[in-house]
């Protein structure tokens, strides 16, 4: 697939300096690093290598620049997602999988913007605890389940909209670990019960975090530093319905992997959603989830500086893990639990992982797009250095990723 005509990097290069100057003193070091990484990604600034077809009659040559590997970069996520999917493929079980979404109300989303590490972490904890608790209840499933949670902080228009996507096997290991308990046909867990427990847990955790001095408030929310004011702010949320959504099960393990690949490494906006940009504005595709059918697909135009601001508000705190595993899939117990689950389901162990495959069975080198022969690296050049060799022209667009 060819390179998009317009990229987030182009918008940063054209408008980034002016935006930084206009917002001096209000840009974090993390946001500066993301901007720099995206602008330099797959350019000579990061170095790269030259590949040439080993067929002398062809000798097709291409330059491949290195990737920045920043987790917020739209160009780096395809390769990162693929590598993650390969690692997860051996963990899939031959059971239906469900997609569950937990969303914070806008009132909490507003204060989460000022307290990202704390409230994003609480969102993970409250949503996972709600799922594990209801699933373990004999009135519902009576089993220990496994969860893969992925944090998203944006809506289609890149506004701040914190929510977690969960991929959950439709069943679990009984509490005495003697059998696999499958979910009921076309039903997993009761949404209203999940919503109520999620609401209670999240509010309790927020109150505890406030009492511990873990939350800070600025601007219009400065008064919430007072415990009584904070309690009054949360009070209306105790009687509203919080959004929890459970989709129908997937068609099979391959569908689960394909779906996961669209969520685990997604960023605020992909390059392929960009339509046009000029000296003042950026136009891109958006999806209105309140509308069903073709009418939900629209376009939006934002001032270039507002586009940059919206993109950068989704830069995660340093060291924050946006993909987490719970229950049967928690780190340290996952391998043992998956082995037991396969035993209870009476299924064969997974195929060997890529690192377990012998070198002569490994994936072959990239083929030449002209003649199909092997492409070989003939030169590696450092950051900022020009390559000695030159690429050869081709009638089709070719791009080789090195991330």
């Amino acid at each position: 697939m060819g390179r998009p005509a317009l990229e987030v990097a182009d918008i940063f290069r054209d408008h980034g300096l002016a935006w930084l100057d206009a917002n001096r003193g209000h840009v974090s070091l993390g946001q500066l690093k993301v901007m720099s990484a995206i602008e330099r990604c797959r350019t000579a600034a990061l170095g790269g290598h030259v590949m040439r077809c080993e067929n002398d009659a062809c000798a097709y040559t291409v330059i491949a620049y290195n990737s920045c590997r920043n987790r917020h970069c739209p160009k780096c996520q395809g390769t990162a997602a693929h590598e993650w999917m390969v690692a997860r493929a051996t963990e899939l079980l031959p059971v239906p999988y469900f997609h569950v979404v937990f969303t914070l109300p806008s009132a909490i989303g507003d204060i989460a913007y000022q307290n990202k590490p704390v409230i994003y972490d609480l969102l993970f904890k409250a949503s996972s605890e709600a799922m594990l608790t209801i699933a373990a209840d004999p009135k519902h499933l009576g089993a220990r389940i496994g969860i893969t949670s992925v944090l998203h902080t944006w809506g289609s228009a890149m506004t701040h909209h914190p929510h977690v996507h969960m991929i959950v096997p439709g069943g679990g290991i009984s509490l005495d670990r003697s059998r696999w308990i499958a979910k009921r046909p076309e039903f997993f867990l009761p949404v209203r019960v999940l919503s109520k427990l999620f609401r209670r847990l999240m509010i309790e955790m927020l109150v505890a975090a406030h009492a511990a001095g873990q939350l800070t408030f600025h601007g219009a929310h400065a008064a919430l530093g007072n415990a009584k004011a904070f309690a009054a702010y949360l009070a209306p949320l105790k009687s509203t319905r919080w959004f929890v959504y459970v989709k129908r099960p997937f068609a099979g393990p391959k569908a689960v992997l394909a779906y996961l690949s669209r969520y685990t490494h997604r960023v605020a906006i992909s390059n392929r959603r960009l339509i046009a940009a000029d000296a003042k504005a950026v136009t891109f595709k958006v999806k209105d989830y309140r509308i069903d059918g073709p009418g939900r697909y629209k376009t939006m135009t934002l001032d270039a500086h507002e586009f940059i601001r919206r993109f950068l508000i989704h830069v995660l705190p340093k060291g924050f893990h946006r993909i987490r595993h719970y229950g049967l899939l928690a780190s340290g117990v996952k391998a043992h639990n998956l082995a037991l689950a396969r035993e209870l389901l009476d299924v064969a162990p997974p195929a060997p992982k890529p690192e377990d495959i012998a070198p002569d069975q490994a994936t072959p080198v990239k083929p030449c797009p002209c003649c199909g022969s092997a492409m070989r690296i003939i030169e590696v050049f450092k950051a900022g250095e020009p390559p000695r060799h030159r690429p050869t022209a081709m009638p089709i667009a070719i791009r080789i990723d090195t991330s």
Side-chain angles (χ1 to χ4, degrees), residues 203 207 210 217 223-238:
I203 290 177
V207 171
H210 189 282
F217 304 96
L224 296 182
N226 177 272
K228 290 185 177 180
F230 188 64
Y233 183 81
L234 295 179
L237 299 176
K238 297 179 181 179

Side-chain angles (χ1 to χ4, degrees), residues 41 87 93 102 161 204 221 265 279 297 299 337 341 353 392 399:
C41 186
L93 298 172
F102 286 81
H161 179 62
E204 288 176 353
H221 294 297
H265 292 74
Y297 299 97
T299 62
N337 285 332
K353 293 183 179 180
T392 54
R399 186 171 186 81

Side-chain angles (χ1 to χ4, degrees), residues 84 88 99-102 120 123-129 131-132 146-152 163-168 260 263-264 320-327 329:
W84 193 84
R88 301 284 83 74
H99 177 199
V100 186
V101 182
F102 286 81
Y120 289 171
L123 170 57
F124 270 119
K125 290 179 178 178
S127 58
S128 61
E129 186 175 333
M131 287 287 290
L132 294 172
I147 302 170
T148 295
S149 290
V150 184
L151 173 70
H152 283 187
H163 57 286
V164 292
H165 294 267
M166 292 181 174
I167 303 298
V168 189
L260 270 173
Y263 278 92
T264 52
F320 190 89
H321 295 281
R322 67 175 180 183
I323 304 174
R324 303 187 184 186
H325 307 279
Y326 299 94
L329 300 179

Side-chain angles (χ1 to χ4, degrees), residues 4-8 10-12 14-15 158 269-286 298-305 307-308:
L6 179 63
E7 298 181 346
V8 172
D10 299 321
I11 298 167
F12 281 176
D14 293 342
H15 302 279
M158 294 194 295
I269 189 169
S270 68
N271 287 327
R272 303 201 177 278
R273 285 178 56 198
L274 301 177
I275 298 175
D278 55 28
K280 294 183 178 180
V282 180
T283 301
F284 56 98
K285 302 173 187 175
V286 295
K298 303 176 180 180
T299 62
M300 173 176 285
T301 299
L302 292 177
D303 175 83
H305 284 206
F307 178 92
I308 293 175

